[in-house]
Amino acid sequence: MALEDDLKTRANGVCEMCNATENLTPLAVAPRDDSEAENCIYACSTCTDQIQETTSIDKHHWTCLNESAWSQELGVQVIAWRMLGKLNEESWAQDLLGQIYLDDETTTWAQTGFASNDEDNGLIHRDCNGAVLTAGDSVTLIKDLNVKGGGFTAKRGTMVRNISLVADNDGHIEGRVSGQQIVILTEFVKKA
């Protein structure tokens, strides 16, 4: 109970993700264990169920990330990064993911526990140099790309942040260029 008491005190008795006040419990932030408070968050059952994917994700519920993503608690930052990655089809989530900053150690923690599409179906997305790409990475275009239907050319050297992986094709990723979500061939990008 000491862990739960520590988390309750840290969180002022509310869910650290959405500020709910009922059905709160500690949740270990994988792959770290739950023996220390800094490896956990204090979360409501709604957030916990969606984080653990025991229920489907309600994109409207997670607009709470506009506030909780800025938490000073590393576990909250990690969960916010992962949930924004799962909501990558929402423009507000892409924008927020592009604004938040995680240090290298925290980014590694977030990526290690993130169940990305390539883990689910065995596909491995690689850039032009063979480096493995994961959801949330930033890449640089290595050549000018004519964007079909977009009416513009994505110039060589353009940075594409917070990419998402196309689940059924290891040769495709998605990212925002000039405000538009586009599909990009992995052979034309280099991991940043």
Side-chain angles (χ1 to χ4, degrees):
M1 288 310 262
L3 174 67
E4 186 168 355
D5 292 339
D6 290 347
L7 288 170
K8 184 176 184 177
T9 301
R10 180 181 86 188
N12 295 320
V14 299
C15 175
E16 291 183 284
M17 303 309 297
C18 73
N19 291 325
T21 57
E22 296 180 7
N23 301 318
L24 303 170
T25 57
L27 175 66
V29 182
R32 297 190 178 176
D33 64 35
D34 62 357
S35 62
E36 297 183 31
E38 61 263 12
N39 296 336
C40 300
I41 64 169
Y42 199 50
C44 67
S45 59
T46 301
C47 288
T48 299
D49 290 345
Q50 292 182 46
I51 290 166
Q52 295 177 332
E53 297 181 349
T54 57
T55 61
S56 60
I57 295 175
D58 174 6
K59 62 185 177 187
H60 300 293
H61 174 78
W62 290 102
T63 57
C64 63
L65 294 174
N66 284 305
E67 291 186 26
S68 57
W70 304 106
S71 171
Q72 296 299 308
E73 299 301 329
L74 296 181
V76 176
Q77 293 175 13
V78 167
I79 294 296
W81 186 92
R82 291 177 185 171
M83 294 309 296
L84 289 168
K86 291 178 182 180
L87 295 163
N88 65 2
E89 293 180 7
E90 300 296 318
S91 60
W92 66 266
Q94 292 172 3
D95 293 342
L96 183 56
L97 194 56
Q99 294 173 22
I100 62 174
Y101 170 79
L102 302 180
D103 62 40
D104 291 341
E105 183 179 343
T106 307
T107 300
T108 301
W109 179 12
Q111 291 175 339
T112 301
F114 187 63
S116 61
N117 291 334
D118 60 332
E119 293 170 356
D120 294 340
N121 59 23
L123 295 179
I124 297 174
H125 293 73
R126 296 183 185 273
D127 73 358
C128 65
N129 295 322
V132 175
L133 299 172
T134 58
D137 282 346
S138 295
V139 297
T140 305
L141 301 180
I142 62 167
K143 71 176 268 184
D144 290 353
L145 300 175
N146 213 359
V147 179
K148 296 177 183 173
F152 68 95
T153 299
K155 298 292 185 186
R156 181 176 135 192
T158 299
M159 176 76 71
V160 182
R161 300 182 193 286
N162 302 315
I163 64 167
S164 57
L165 308 177
V166 175
D168 58 353
N169 190 331
D170 61 0
H172 292 161
I173 59 171
E174 292 182 2
R176 286 184 88 67
V177 176
S178 298
Q180 290 188 2
Q181 184 78 4
I182 64 171
V183 175
I184 307 167
L185 297 177
T186 57
E187 64 188 278
F188 299 135
V189 299
K190 177 174 65 172
K191 190 172 182 174

